[in-house]
Amino acid sequence: MRVLVASIAAHGHTYPLLPFAIAARAAGHDVSYATAPSFHPLVERLGFRPVAAGGEIGEAFGKVWAESGRDPSARFSTPPDEVMAMAGRVFGEVLARRTAADLAPVLPELRPEVVVHEAGDLGAGLAAKVAGVRGLCHGFGRVAGGKMLARAGDHVAGLAAELGLDPAAVAGPGLGDPFLDICPRTLQDPAFLAAFTPDRAPRVPLRPVPFAEPAPLPAWVTEPGPPLVYLTLGTAFAEGGVLRTAIAGLGRLPARVLVAAGPRIDAAQVGDLPDSVRVEQWVPQAEVLPHAALVVHHGGSGTTLGALASGVPQLVLPQGADQFDNAEAVVTVGAGRRLLPGEATVEAVADVAAALLADPGPRASAAGTAREIAAMPSPAEVVAELLD
């Protein structure tokens, strides 16, 4: 079967789809991957045929921020609801319009029999419908209380009408296509779950499989010693001041601290480090998580689900987008704590992290969620069910 997988060119939107794409290829399907050019090197390294579709997410957010009249440097102090509204326009209008236009001439050429479009890549899903190609929507995490997808839906209805589609037919999560949901049911938003009534396409559980590009795993991670605390602020919202505060707090603990600076922060510029802290630009997160006693992070979907799948408690320091909802969900299931902006002082990070390391309750709750995740159908099983 010819399969086109499509996602926004961002780590948090692309990485969750790669296990399904890899499983589809392993099952013998001919898989192409549509995304913006910045992610083509990754796609090619993994052996997929790249298809140029969509704009760069940073440029799209820059456009919307500029048109809002706000200073982009104020994004960390902007109320989350306003950020979510702007994100809705980015995903439902700016990126969706570009992707739909890019794929319009490509789909008749590729002739895919199914398009697997990521939940944030609405343009790919609309293009598939215009071309009469079967669609599957692949989630990238918890649906953030329905906020971002609902806000995006406010914009995408107009685009759907322009493309000759019935806006009512593409309303709701997944544009009316079956939704491959990598979020365990107990963590997923109840309103999102309630949307899957008998008269609409189903929600299909799919086990989240952490993906990370190969990188050296520091040898000391696997050596005996004090507990390992892993700190990352992700790839999109990482901010140097928050990272330095977290490092200073975690450096007070009787623990080893591994920091992934990511693409937005220069690891060499982090500053003086406590002896117990090591900073790397990039680490293979999927390999690190099973060794961690605690994960301190921003609340991105990939890290949240990856830590839960490994049964590791979390301290979440949300900065924007869906991170606040993910942090709330972690607290609700008892798998960790959160510190909101303004609360995350050096002392607070040290105190809460120490409490999480000492309290067996969050680890037990995280282990329970890990068992739920392990029981979800694997990518290979879902590929066999939906593509074969």
Side-chain angles (χ1 to χ4, degrees), residues 217-224 256 291:
L217 183 67
W220 61 273
V221 166
T222 60
E223 295 172 355
R256 299 168 296 156
H291 299 285

Side-chain angles (χ1 to χ4, degrees), residues 113-304:
E113 294 160 270
V114 63
V115 171
V116 182
H117 56 97
E118 171 249 318
D121 196 354
L122 299 169
L126 292 176
K129 291 186 180 301
V130 171
V133 180
R134 176 186 170 210
L136 298 173
C137 185
H138 193 305
F140 56 84
R142 191 173 189 271
V143 185
K147 292 177 184 175
M148 190 187 80
L149 292 182
R151 297 290 181 87
D154 294 341
H155 297 279
V156 83
L159 177 57
E162 288 178 31
L163 295 172
L165 300 170
D166 178 1
V170 298
L175 298 175
D177 292 328
F179 194 102
L180 311 186
D181 190 3
I182 65 170
C183 185
R185 191 176 187 87
T186 56
L187 203 73
Q188 188 55 278
D189 177 65
F192 171 77
L193 294 173
F196 291 90
T197 53
D199 60 336
R200 62 154 293 142
R203 169 186 174 268
V204 181
L206 171 63
R207 186 189 310 156
V209 177
F211 174 87
E213 292 188 68
L217 183 67
W220 61 273
V221 166
T222 60
E223 295 172 355
L228 176 69
V229 176
Y230 172 56
L231 169 62
T232 175
L233 295 183
T235 58
F237 281 82
E239 196 273 323
V242 177
L243 188 71
R244 286 188 287 273
T245 295
I247 288 173
L250 298 175
R252 297 182 177 185
L253 305 179
R256 299 168 296 156
V257 181
L258 173 62
V259 182
R264 296 186 62 88
I265 297 174
D266 185 351
Q269 302 299 316
V270 171
D272 294 334
L273 299 172
D275 292 339
S276 59
V277 178
R278 300 193 189 187
V279 178
E280 303 286 346
Q281 198 69 55
W282 196 268
V283 301
Q285 180 166 289
E287 296 179 40
V288 170
L289 291 174
H291 299 285
L294 175 66
V295 179
V296 181
H297 66 103
H298 55 304
S301 293
T303 305
T304 300

Side-chain angles (χ1 to χ4, degrees), residues 77-91:
S77 59
T78 301
D81 193 56
E82 291 184 33
V83 175
M84 197 66 73
M86 285 189 271
R89 186 178 166 212
V90 166
F91 290 104

